[in-house]
Amino acid sequence: MLTLDSVKGWYGRTQALFGVDLHVAPGKTVALVGTNGAGKTTTLRAILGAVRTEGSVRVDGEEISAKPTHRRVNDHRIAIVHEGRGLLSQLTVLENLVVGANRAERARIGEVLELFPVLRDRTHQKVSLLSGGQQQMVALGRALLRDPKYLLLDEPGLGLAPVVIDEIYTYIAELCSRGMGVLLVEQSVTRAASVADELVLLRVGAVDRVVDTRDRERVDQLVADAFGVHH
Ligand code: ATP
């Protein structure tokens, strides 16, 4: 279980998180939703230790909030796919997967390419020549090389056509069914409701409510409320 207890976060002197509580179980997908500036990305950064925080971040019972980012990702199998994907666009698909990978990670490249057959046929193509959806798969593939137990995704569908977003989320569901815990930021509450087990609505850096997506009534209420603030 990935657990946040009363996590506060700051950019310099500006406080962005005011006490976030959150749980992501292995095999579950939790979506962070909320308006621009609600603190969704900052919550992911707090888990990685990329902003100054107070409060508790635990992975499978172990407190990690005092650890530097590299220890969190290496020792606790947390991986992130940033918004904008962070790829080296002039390099090929394979080069992007290989860059920075250690031996164990390189050994998983075949497995990752098996998951994304469309990339397997394009390993020597420059990333800049791929479609947005294919680029997102490369970014996901890079994260998967780390064999994460918990995967953090910041708006994986950003800038992609709806049908491509569906495809990306199908892959994410597959990973989840293999036991990975997924925490994702998703702008569209409706889409989040269709892919996640649980929605966490953030408002001004704190959790407004947590909704189980099987509870259609509360999901509809959340969609209505979120549209209200989205204007
Ligand atoms: P969006 O959908 O716009 O990305 P978000 O919910 O992810 O929104 P955050 O990016 O987490 O929101 O931002 C939370 C708050 O922190 C906002 O008030 C924002 O202005 C502030 N903030 C975010 N990044 C920084 C930064 N690098 N420096 C200073 N303040 C920041």
Side-chain angles (χ1 to χ4, degrees), residues 32 43 49 52 84 91 105 111-112 125 128 145 177-178 223:
L32 290 169
T43 300
R52 184 166 67 83
L91 299 188
E105 290 161 0
E111 212 178 296
V112 163
Q125 203 166 92
S128 60
L145 289 181
S177 74
R178 297 181 188 182
V223 170

mmCIF file of all heavy atoms in Angstrom, residues 32 43 49 52 84 91 105 111-112 125 128 145 177-178 223:
data_model
loop_
_atom_site.group_PDB
_atom_site.id
_atom_site.type_symbol
_atom_site.label_atom_id
_atom_site.label_comp_id
_atom_site.label_asym_id
_atom_site.label_seq_id
_atom_site.Cartn_x
_atom_site.Cartn_y
_atom_site.Cartn_z
ATOM 1 N N LEU A 32 -6.509 11.178 -9.233
ATOM 2 C CA LEU A 32 -6.580 12.490 -8.591
ATOM 3 C C LEU A 32 -7.271 13.431 -9.563
ATOM 4 O O LEU A 32 -6.822 13.590 -10.701
ATOM 5 C CB LEU A 32 -5.174 13.028 -8.324
ATOM 6 C CG LEU A 32 -4.347 12.328 -7.245
ATOM 7 C CD1 LEU A 32 -2.899 12.820 -7.308
ATOM 8 C CD2 LEU A 32 -4.951 12.597 -5.874
ATOM 9 N N THR A 43 0.963 16.632 -5.512
ATOM 10 C CA THR A 43 0.826 15.406 -4.719
ATOM 11 C C THR A 43 1.773 14.328 -5.239
ATOM 12 O O THR A 43 2.440 13.646 -4.458
ATOM 13 C CB THR A 43 -0.642 14.917 -4.750
ATOM 14 O OG1 THR A 43 -1.466 15.943 -4.204
ATOM 15 C CG2 THR A 43 -0.823 13.639 -3.944
ATOM 16 N N GLY A 49 9.281 13.173 -3.307
ATOM 17 C CA GLY A 49 10.212 14.013 -2.560
ATOM 18 C C GLY A 49 10.777 15.130 -3.403
ATOM 19 O O GLY A 49 11.877 15.618 -3.160
ATOM 20 N N ARG A 52 9.225 20.319 -0.973
ATOM 21 C CA ARG A 52 9.409 20.235 0.481
ATOM 22 C C ARG A 52 8.083 19.831 1.102
ATOM 23 O O ARG A 52 7.034 20.404 0.788
ATOM 24 C CB ARG A 52 9.846 21.593 1.030
ATOM 25 C CG ARG A 52 10.158 21.587 2.514
ATOM 26 C CD ARG A 52 10.912 22.850 2.899
ATOM 27 N NE ARG A 52 10.101 24.064 2.772
ATOM 28 C CZ ARG A 52 9.256 24.488 3.704
ATOM 29 N NH1 ARG A 52 9.083 23.812 4.826
ATOM 30 N NH2 ARG A 52 8.570 25.610 3.522
ATOM 31 N N GLY A 84 3.950 15.548 -20.336
ATOM 32 C CA GLY A 84 4.935 15.966 -21.339
ATOM 33 C C GLY A 84 5.955 14.891 -21.650
ATOM 34 O O GLY A 84 6.773 15.052 -22.536
ATOM 35 N N LEU A 91 16.286 10.896 -30.401
ATOM 36 C CA LEU A 91 16.791 9.519 -30.298
ATOM 37 C C LEU A 91 15.694 8.531 -30.695
ATOM 38 O O LEU A 91 14.517 8.884 -30.746
ATOM 39 C CB LEU A 91 17.256 9.229 -28.867
ATOM 40 C CG LEU A 91 18.393 10.086 -28.324
ATOM 41 C CD1 LEU A 91 18.857 9.545 -26.980
ATOM 42 C CD2 LEU A 91 19.568 10.152 -29.292
ATOM 43 N N GLU A 105 17.241 -3.402 -15.852
ATOM 44 C CA GLU A 105 16.226 -2.687 -16.631
ATOM 45 C C GLU A 105 16.352 -3.011 -18.122
ATOM 46 O O GLU A 105 15.350 -3.220 -18.804
ATOM 47 C CB GLU A 105 16.330 -1.186 -16.368
ATOM 48 C CG GLU A 105 15.872 -0.833 -14.945
ATOM 49 C CD GLU A 105 16.352 0.513 -14.453
ATOM 50 O OE1 GLU A 105 17.053 1.223 -15.200
ATOM 51 O OE2 GLU A 105 16.043 0.840 -13.297
ATOM 52 N N GLU A 111 10.393 -7.467 -22.722
ATOM 53 C CA GLU A 111 9.082 -7.608 -22.084
ATOM 54 C C GLU A 111 8.197 -6.382 -22.357
ATOM 55 O O GLU A 111 7.015 -6.505 -22.659
ATOM 56 C CB GLU A 111 9.345 -7.695 -20.589
ATOM 57 C CG GLU A 111 8.401 -8.530 -19.772
ATOM 58 C CD GLU A 111 8.900 -8.516 -18.328
ATOM 59 O OE1 GLU A 111 10.025 -9.033 -18.081
ATOM 60 O OE2 GLU A 111 8.208 -7.962 -17.481
ATOM 61 N N VAL A 112 8.840 -5.211 -22.260
ATOM 62 C CA VAL A 112 8.104 -3.969 -22.484
ATOM 63 C C VAL A 112 7.651 -3.881 -23.945
ATOM 64 O O VAL A 112 6.510 -3.499 -24.234
ATOM 65 C CB VAL A 112 8.967 -2.749 -22.084
ATOM 66 C CG1 VAL A 112 8.423 -1.458 -22.665
ATOM 67 C CG2 VAL A 112 9.052 -2.648 -20.572
ATOM 68 N N GLN A 125 13.038 3.804 -34.948
ATOM 69 C CA GLN A 125 12.494 5.061 -35.438
ATOM 70 C C GLN A 125 12.729 6.171 -34.399
ATOM 71 O O GLN A 125 12.660 5.925 -33.195
ATOM 72 C CB GLN A 125 10.993 4.891 -35.663
ATOM 73 C CG GLN A 125 10.430 5.871 -36.650
ATOM 74 C CD GLN A 125 9.029 5.455 -37.091
ATOM 75 O OE1 GLN A 125 8.057 5.881 -36.500
ATOM 76 N NE2 GLN A 125 8.932 4.618 -38.101
ATOM 77 N N SER A 128 10.628 11.528 -32.339
ATOM 78 C CA SER A 128 9.925 12.714 -32.863
ATOM 79 C C SER A 128 9.007 12.357 -34.030
ATOM 80 O O SER A 128 8.103 13.114 -34.360
ATOM 81 C CB SER A 128 10.935 13.775 -33.302
ATOM 82 O OG SER A 128 11.755 13.241 -34.320
ATOM 83 N N LEU A 145 10.279 -0.286 -17.262
ATOM 84 C CA LEU A 145 11.587 -0.961 -17.169
ATOM 85 C C LEU A 145 12.038 -1.060 -15.718
ATOM 86 O O LEU A 145 12.789 -1.944 -15.350
ATOM 87 C CB LEU A 145 12.649 -0.200 -17.968
ATOM 88 C CG LEU A 145 12.538 -0.247 -19.483
ATOM 89 C CD1 LEU A 145 13.690 0.532 -20.093
ATOM 90 C CD2 LEU A 145 12.539 -1.685 -19.984
ATOM 91 N N SER A 177 -4.123 -4.939 -13.476
ATOM 92 C CA SER A 177 -4.606 -6.302 -13.238
ATOM 93 C C SER A 177 -3.448 -7.248 -12.914
ATOM 94 O O SER A 177 -3.642 -8.305 -12.346
ATOM 95 C CB SER A 177 -5.394 -6.814 -14.446
ATOM 96 O OG SER A 177 -4.493 -7.127 -15.481
ATOM 97 N N ARG A 178 -2.228 -6.836 -13.266
ATOM 98 C CA ARG A 178 -1.056 -7.648 -12.897
ATOM 99 C C ARG A 178 -0.552 -7.307 -11.493
ATOM 100 O O ARG A 178 0.502 -7.783 -11.086
ATOM 101 C CB ARG A 178 0.085 -7.410 -13.885
ATOM 102 C CG ARG A 178 -0.231 -7.839 -15.297
ATOM 103 C CD ARG A 178 0.991 -7.573 -16.158
ATOM 104 N NE ARG A 178 0.725 -7.787 -17.564
ATOM 105 C CZ ARG A 178 1.631 -7.655 -18.514
ATOM 106 N NH1 ARG A 178 2.861 -7.290 -18.196
ATOM 107 N NH2 ARG A 178 1.326 -7.843 -19.769
ATOM 108 N N VAL A 223 -19.018 14.569 -10.537
ATOM 109 C CA VAL A 223 -18.909 15.141 -11.886
ATOM 110 C C VAL A 223 -19.640 16.486 -11.920
ATOM 111 O O VAL A 223 -19.095 17.482 -12.416
ATOM 112 C CB VAL A 223 -19.491 14.175 -12.951
ATOM 113 C CG1 VAL A 223 -19.592 14.857 -14.305
ATOM 114 C CG2 VAL A 223 -18.618 12.927 -13.056
#
